[in-house]
Amino acid sequence: MGNALSVAVRPVRRRSERSAFLNLPWKLYSRDPLWVPPLKASMRALLDVEHHPFYQGGEGAEAEFFLAWEGRDPIGRVAAIENHAFNSFQGEKVVHFGFFECVERHDVARALISAVESWAKARGINRILGPFNPSTNYECGLLVDGFNRPPVIMMTYNPAYYVSLFEKAGLKKAKDLLAYISKVEDQSLSRLERLAERTRKRHPELETRGADLSHFEGELEAFKAIYNQAWERNWGFVPMNEGEIQAMARELRPSLAPELLRFAFIDGEPAGFILALPDWNPVLKDLGGVPWRHPIRTIRHLLRTRPTDLEGLRLITMGVREEFRMRGIEGVL
């Protein structure tokens, strides 16, 4: 287990410490065949409290990043996040924690969680909740089951021992977040098509279509009109601000297949949408998180890999505005 006195947890201050925070997963997961490295550029942007729109210069959220050290070796990390937008919207008073990574040592995990708790108490807050990386609009949750397969795109992944680390650190489950694996079979597809056809006959005012990425800004407006309203009563939800939606749209655009972002309109008014992404994780794994370090692989994927070459889809989100529910729109989408 090691000696707790040998562990020092300090806030990240220097550029070298920010680099150590960013790069720690590559050290911890180097021998894990299932881990899929994130794109470092995307992760670096998400951790940039001065420029990423999630933080809104401190008005949307404030964060402190901590590293656990043993001598000169980083062995754990965590972020403490006071999400002002979340607390205001949900009527809560809580500090979130996220971006947690740790060696298999309970004393290190406890020290990291204690750093978050101390940071929260200094702000007059006595409750922490996580992991949020950094909110439910991004990757969130701790993997507690399903360690026999690699993660799909934009899903969290962690070693099985993290469950014990969290429990021994005094944390308890707040909510079950479930992900389902579903094969597309002829029988289930035919049933959905029959249901969808009945819905279309009952509601001739319903129109559905795929995204037109040549009019990207207009499609983004339709997305915004639906998203924050359709999800507002979900557990842990916080509306995305304008900058966040723009930033996420720019990041997702290269991986979008237009027919997999589908909109529903009732008499021309945006009513619902569904968003699925091809599972690009096998490609991301091949690139190791840093495409420029693998130029030949990167060029090969840019030239040859198409969404239809990939084996799976991840249905990321679906939402229907409350006034348009109970009409079967979800089945049509």
Side-chain angles (χ1 to χ4, degrees):
M1 292 296 294
N3 184 353
L5 295 177
S6 67
V7 179
V9 175
R10 298 191 297 268
V12 170
R13 292 288 183 264
R14 301 187 184 96
R15 179 181 295 181
S16 61
E17 294 170 342
R18 291 195 293 271
S19 178
F21 189 99
L22 175 68
N23 290 315
L24 184 61
W26 277 260
K27 174 183 176 181
L28 297 181
Y29 292 93
S30 62
R31 297 183 179 180
D32 189 332
L34 298 183
W35 181 61
V36 177
L39 289 173
K40 278 192 180 181
S42 297
M43 186 57 60
R44 188 179 291 111
L46 192 54
L47 297 173
D48 188 343
V49 297
E50 294 183 3
H51 299 103
H52 195 279
F54 167 76
Y55 306 96
Q56 290 185 300
E59 293 184 8
E62 297 175 75
E64 186 82 85
F65 303 103
F66 296 94
L67 274 169
W69 298 85
E70 187 172 55
R72 296 184 177 182
D73 294 326
I75 54 175
R77 74 177 197 184
V78 73
I81 305 159
E82 185 175 2
N83 189 335
H84 302 302
F86 173 89
N87 284 338
S88 175
F89 185 80
Q90 293 285 352
E92 293 265 15
K93 194 173 184 182
V94 62
V95 159
H96 291 162
F97 67 92
F99 303 104
F100 177 91
E101 302 288 359
C102 189
V103 296
E104 192 174 359
R105 284 176 49 179
H106 292 105
D107 60 316
V108 179
R110 176 67 258 181
L112 288 166
I113 296 301
S114 293
V116 175
E117 292 172 338
S118 297
W119 191 82
K121 287 179 180 177
R123 292 166 168 256
I125 297 174
N126 296 314
R127 181 169 170 254
I128 68 171
L129 183 68
F132 293 112
N133 305 325
S135 80
T136 53
N137 293 317
Y138 304 82
E139 294 181 8
C140 66
L142 181 75
L143 187 66
V144 300
D145 192 15
F147 296 103
N148 60 335
R149 56 172 289 132
V152 298
I153 191 166
M154 297 178 69
M155 290 287 289
T156 51
Y157 177 80
N158 53 261
Y161 68 78
Y162 277 22
V163 180
S164 175
L165 294 185
F166 276 26
E167 290 175 345
K168 291 291 180 62
L171 297 173
K172 297 180 180 179
K173 181 182 72 175
K175 194 73 172 178
D176 283 318
L177 306 178
L178 304 179
Y180 297 90
I181 300 171
S182 177
K183 293 183 178 180
V184 179
E185 298 175 332
D186 290 342
Q187 184 177 358
S188 59
L189 187 57
S190 296
R191 178 175 176 272
L192 266 177
E193 288 174 341
R194 290 195 300 271
L195 291 171
E197 186 59 29
R198 287 203 292 268
T199 297
R200 290 189 182 97
K201 289 180 178 178
R202 287 197 308 270
H203 299 285
E205 72 280 13
L206 170 65
E207 174 197 358
T208 64
R209 61 167 175 80
D212 181 359
L213 298 186
S214 66
H215 296 88
F216 190 68
E217 291 301 320
E219 300 297 65
L220 204 55
E221 288 300 317
F223 179 92
K224 288 187 292 186
I226 299 164
Y227 182 78
N228 285 336
Q229 292 183 43
W231 277 59
E232 63 181 352
R233 296 188 182 181
N234 285 13
W235 180 89
F237 177 72
V238 58
M240 296 182 77
N241 63 54
E242 179 76 19
E244 281 185 283
I245 290 178
Q246 292 280 351
M248 186 169 286
R250 286 194 300 271
E251 184 166 343
L252 291 181
R253 185 173 183 175
S255 59
L256 278 176
E259 63 271 24
L260 297 180
L261 171 56
R262 301 197 63 80
F263 293 100
F265 299 86
I266 296 289
D267 289 329
E269 185 176 356
F273 76 89
I274 190 169
L275 170 62
L277 285 180
D279 183 15
W280 291 100
N281 266 9
V283 175
L284 295 179
K285 185 175 180 63
D286 194 37
L287 299 180
V290 192
W292 61 266
R293 287 186 180 173
H294 307 282
I296 295 177
R297 296 182 199 173
T298 300
I299 292 171
R300 184 181 71 241
H301 285 302
L302 287 172
L303 294 177
R304 297 183 181 179
T305 306
R306 297 290 179 264
T308 50
D309 298 328
L310 304 171
E311 291 187 0
L313 301 175
R314 181 186 167 202
L315 199 165
I316 291 182
T317 180
M318 177 173 66
V320 174
R321 292 166 59 187
E322 187 171 11
E323 62 265 39
F324 299 116
R325 292 173 190 163
M326 307 303 290
R327 305 189 191 193
I329 293 174
E330 299 87 349
V332 176
L333 290 172

